[in-house]
Amino acid sequence: MKYLTLIFSFFILTLSVDAQRIGANLNVQTFEINKADDVSNLNSLKNYDGNISFSGNLRFYTAKKWAYRIGAAWQNIEYTIDGGLETDYKAKRNNYTAILGLEKHFNLAIFDIYPGVYIPITYKGQDKLLDAPSTYLLDGISNGDFHAGLALMTGVNVKILKFLRVGAEFNLGYEQFKQEVIDQIGDGIKVKNIGFSTDFVIGIAF
């Protein structure tokens, strides 16, 4: 009975909390469209064999429903290069990303709707060859560089017990903003370089 009383008291307390000040979310990427040259800069990219991405995000809310977002993401990519019978190979790469963003939150009944903008700063890991011809002397291709992007996003979360959040985010933008936009202004910005992804989101907010 004592535990039931504690659970009921906690439930009532969460119902009385309206203004959120801090939140923590886990994002799992469920769908992505991206360009081939993000992987290898080669036209011989055959297909993605897998793409897994997770990110953890902290949000700090203001009284006017703005939120500053700080996060970190990990992405595992596996792909196949089809350059000919003797040059085909499979490879994988791990990318690590820091996320800085700003969002505006709107509360509509049990829904939290938030458009926003964020800057992903990504470190590209080494492309490790998984299945390469014996003529290849290297077991990997070193990238070792950072690039910053710019993306717009819209998120929709459902509030559960005032502090739980379950929803989705939709992202649209450039992964390498300088190379894909600033350096291309004179030649025209290539729309095909825009990436799109959706994330499943689960988290808490207090």
Side-chain angles (χ1 to χ4, degrees), residues 142-155:
S142 179
N143 294 302
D145 59 346
F146 289 86
H147 60 256
L150 182 65
L152 301 176
M153 55 84 63
T154 300

Side-chain angles (χ1 to χ4, degrees), residues 4 11 18 41 56 62 83 98 100-101 118 127 131 144 153 178 180 188:
L4 291 177
F11 175 76
D18 184 44
N41 289 317
T62 70
L100 302 174
Y118 66 92
D127 289 67
D131 184 11
M153 55 84 63
K178 180 180 182 299
E180 298 168 3

Side-chain angles (χ1 to χ4, degrees), residues 4-137:
L4 291 177
T5 303
L6 290 174
I7 293 173
F8 180 76
S9 299
F10 180 71
F11 175 76
I12 295 298
L13 177 62
T14 59
L15 290 179
S16 65
V17 177
D18 184 44
Q20 53 195 17
R21 289 292 178 264
I22 189 170
N25 285 5
L26 173 66
N27 287 38
V28 180
Q29 189 175 97
T30 57
F31 178 76
E32 181 187 35
I33 296 177
N34 220 324
K35 55 192 179 306
D37 60 355
D38 175 58
V39 175
S40 61
N41 289 317
L42 296 175
N43 294 325
S44 53
L45 176 70
K46 186 176 181 181
N47 62 276
Y48 285 105
D49 295 323
N51 186 344
I52 303 173
S53 179
F54 298 92
S55 69
N57 300 274
L58 290 176
R59 288 181 173 86
F60 302 93
Y61 300 91
T62 70
K64 294 185 177 181
K65 303 296 184 180
W66 289 93
Y68 299 98
R69 179 175 179 172
I70 301 175
W74 169 79
Q75 182 182 44
N76 175 266
I77 298 173
E78 293 189 10
Y79 60 93
T80 302
I81 293 297
D82 184 9
L85 295 178
E86 296 184 358
T87 57
D88 293 355
Y89 65 88
K90 292 184 179 180
K92 71 174 182 178
R93 185 178 76 223
N94 291 327
N95 293 339
Y96 305 92
T97 303
I99 301 169
L100 302 174
L102 179 65
E103 305 164 354
K104 176 63 176 177
H105 287 248
F106 301 92
N107 294 324
L108 180 62
I110 63 172
F111 297 100
D112 178 19
I113 302 171
Y114 52 99
V117 60
Y118 66 92
I119 299 173
I121 303 173
T122 301
Y123 174 79
K124 297 174 65 175
Q126 183 186 48
D127 289 67
K128 297 181 179 180
L129 305 187
L130 303 177
D131 184 11
S134 58
T135 54
Y136 277 62
L137 300 179

